[in-house]
Amino acid sequence: MSAMTVPNLAVGSDHHLMPVIGFGTAASPPPEPLLLKQAVIDAIKLGYRHFDTSPRYLTEEPLGEALAEAVSLGLIGSRSELFVTSKLWCADAHGGLVVPAIQRSLKNLKMDYLDLYLIHWPVSSKPGKYKFPIEEDDFLPMDYEAVWSEMEECKRLGLAKCIGVSNFSCKKLQHILSIATILPSVNQVEMSPVWQQRKLKELCKSKGIVLTAYSVLGSRGAFWGTPKIMESDVLKETADAKGKTVAQVSMRWAYEEGVSMVVKSFTKERLEENLKIFDWSLTEEEMQRISTEIAQCRIVGGEVYISKKGPIKSLDEMWDGEI
């Protein structure tokens, strides 16, 4: 079949185009490199052009190899047709370490620039210690001014077309906005029908920041995942009425909410299914049911905050108690 076309959102002051559906590479345990590379090739053939990674996921190198192979095979004309996101891990979220960190990611990916570089979490950890989960004694408060200034330097140097944040609450995002010379283009957070992020979505919209949803399907198969989305009666009833899957309804809901999303699957059939959300729509009544009749609960326990010792910091602390 021919590649499907995925709509774009303009991000940042330069209006860089970001496909609204991204191929996520976060998995627990990390995917086998050959599995990931084949899935990326399959995804490109289907129409995916947005790929999301992080040093934390251990997927930068195989993703870079797969994208280079896609160019060499003629599946895409050049690197410029892709939108690639990576992230600044907590151990590198310190003054003096941000530019070296993005340079390592670029080396892993064998690329000259990222389309988007995000601060992965609003906390820092001891430099040089990359063990995961992060130990309780290794957490450090982030120096937002120093870190964001160096994120801005990544953009000025041409290492990233756009810069942004991830897992930032309204309060923490407002703090970045108060100190930024270059505003964040994106805030990537957990968002789904069971955690709708209404307050944060409105703040981002008012500031021209694109909200990107992860775990929109509940992170099936991951240790932090939940069945709450796939088992939702409201979503099941809507899917049955539409002749669609619950996953497609959840993704269509996110699209109609005006956000982009990163969705993880390494199965060709599921990858194809996830793109088939653009030629139909939810009715106003169906959107209203999803917005009002599904109990709200945060499902991603912030992978960062869990260690063998148990919870390190409460999610309410990370999110400033905001709902």
Side-chain angles (χ1 to χ4, degrees):
M1 62 174 293
S2 58
M4 289 179 265
T5 300
V6 177
N8 295 305
L9 285 174
V11 298
S13 59
D14 301 329
H15 303 291
H16 198 46
L17 295 180
M18 177 175 72
V20 297
I21 295 181
F23 176 107
T25 62
S28 178
E32 291 293 328
L34 289 177
L35 172 67
L36 176 62
K37 286 194 275 189
Q38 184 57 55
V40 169
I41 295 297
D42 289 340
I44 287 175
K45 289 178 180 177
L46 289 168
Y48 287 82
R49 296 296 182 267
H50 177 182
F51 295 87
D52 182 275
T53 184
S54 166
R56 154 74 188 93
Y57 307 155
L58 305 178
T59 54
E60 287 180 328
E61 288 191 35
L63 174 61
E65 291 170 5
L67 296 177
E69 183 178 339
V71 173
S72 68
L73 291 173
L75 300 178
I76 50 175
S78 68
R79 157 73 178 92
S80 64
E81 295 180 26
L82 301 169
F83 190 101
V84 180
T85 300
S86 195
K87 306 178 184 78
L88 176 73
W89 185 239
C90 305
D92 294 314
H94 301 276
L97 299 184
V98 178
V99 172
I102 192 174
Q103 289 172 331
R104 280 198 306 276
S105 287
L106 290 170
K107 183 178 180 181
N108 289 339
L109 287 158
K110 296 181 177 62
M111 293 181 176
D112 297 324
Y113 69 90
L114 292 172
D115 296 274
L116 178 62
Y117 195 48
L118 304 176
I119 299 175
H120 202 150
W121 287 90
V123 293
S124 298
S125 60
K126 286 185 180 177
K129 297 188 71 172
Y130 294 94
K131 183 180 179 182
F132 181 83
I134 299 170
E135 296 294 337
E136 183 171 6
D137 294 341
D138 290 341
F139 278 96
L140 296 168
M142 180 180 289
D143 182 340
Y144 291 103
E145 287 83 353
V147 172
W148 188 252
S149 174
E150 293 192 19
M151 292 290 289
E152 293 179 345
E153 185 65 10
C154 291
K155 178 170 168 57
R156 291 190 191 98
L157 291 170
L159 302 175
K161 300 263 186 196
C162 302
I163 53 175
V165 296
S166 182
N167 300 299
F168 272 58
S169 64
C170 289
K171 182 178 178 180
K172 289 182 170 63
L173 183 58
Q174 289 277 28
H175 183 58
I176 292 291
L177 293 172
S178 74
I179 62 174
T181 301
I182 301 172
L183 298 182
S185 300
V186 170
N187 187 12
Q188 184 183 121
V189 298
E190 176 194 345
M191 180 179 173
S192 72
V194 305
W195 190 244
Q196 297 185 14
Q197 297 279 22
R198 298 183 187 106
K199 183 179 176 183
L200 184 61
K201 183 167 72 76
E202 288 307 310
L203 173 62
C204 288
K205 183 178 179 181
S206 72
K207 302 297 182 181
I209 298 168
V210 170
L211 198 65
T212 297
Y214 69 75
S215 293
V216 73
L217 306 181
S219 293
R220 296 174 292 182
F223 72 81
W224 60 85
T226 180
K228 290 181 182 294
I229 293 172
M230 293 304 163
E231 294 177 359
S232 164
D233 289 338
V234 172
L235 296 176
K236 284 181 178 179
E237 290 165 13
T238 305
D240 289 344
K242 293 291 187 186
K244 305 296 180 183
T245 67
V246 170
Q248 287 173 322
V249 170
S250 186
M251 292 178 66
R252 179 70 199 189
W253 168 84
Y255 178 61
E256 294 197 24
E257 286 288 308
V259 306
S260 62
M261 68 201 86
V262 171
V263 184
K264 186 263 305 176
S265 178
F266 304 134
T267 306
K268 187 175 182 180
E269 292 73 24
R270 189 72 54 75
L271 286 166
E272 184 174 356
E273 174 189 308
N274 289 346
L275 289 185
K276 293 181 176 179
I277 65 164
F278 300 115
D279 60 352
W280 56 279
S281 61
L282 295 166
T283 66
E284 186 176 337
E285 180 183 359
E286 287 164 340
M287 288 292 290
Q288 183 69 11
R289 280 198 74 196
I290 293 171
S291 293
T292 60
E293 295 184 23
I294 298 178
Q296 296 295 291
C297 62
R298 192 185 294 122
I299 59 173
V300 176
E303 20 165 349
V304 172
Y305 289 78
I306 309 279
S307 77
K308 294 175 183 176
K309 297 178 183 179
I312 293 170
K313 296 178 182 286
S314 72
L315 287 171
D316 283 340
E317 183 179 342
M318 184 181 84
W319 278 94
D320 311 308
E322 295 171 353
I323 300 297

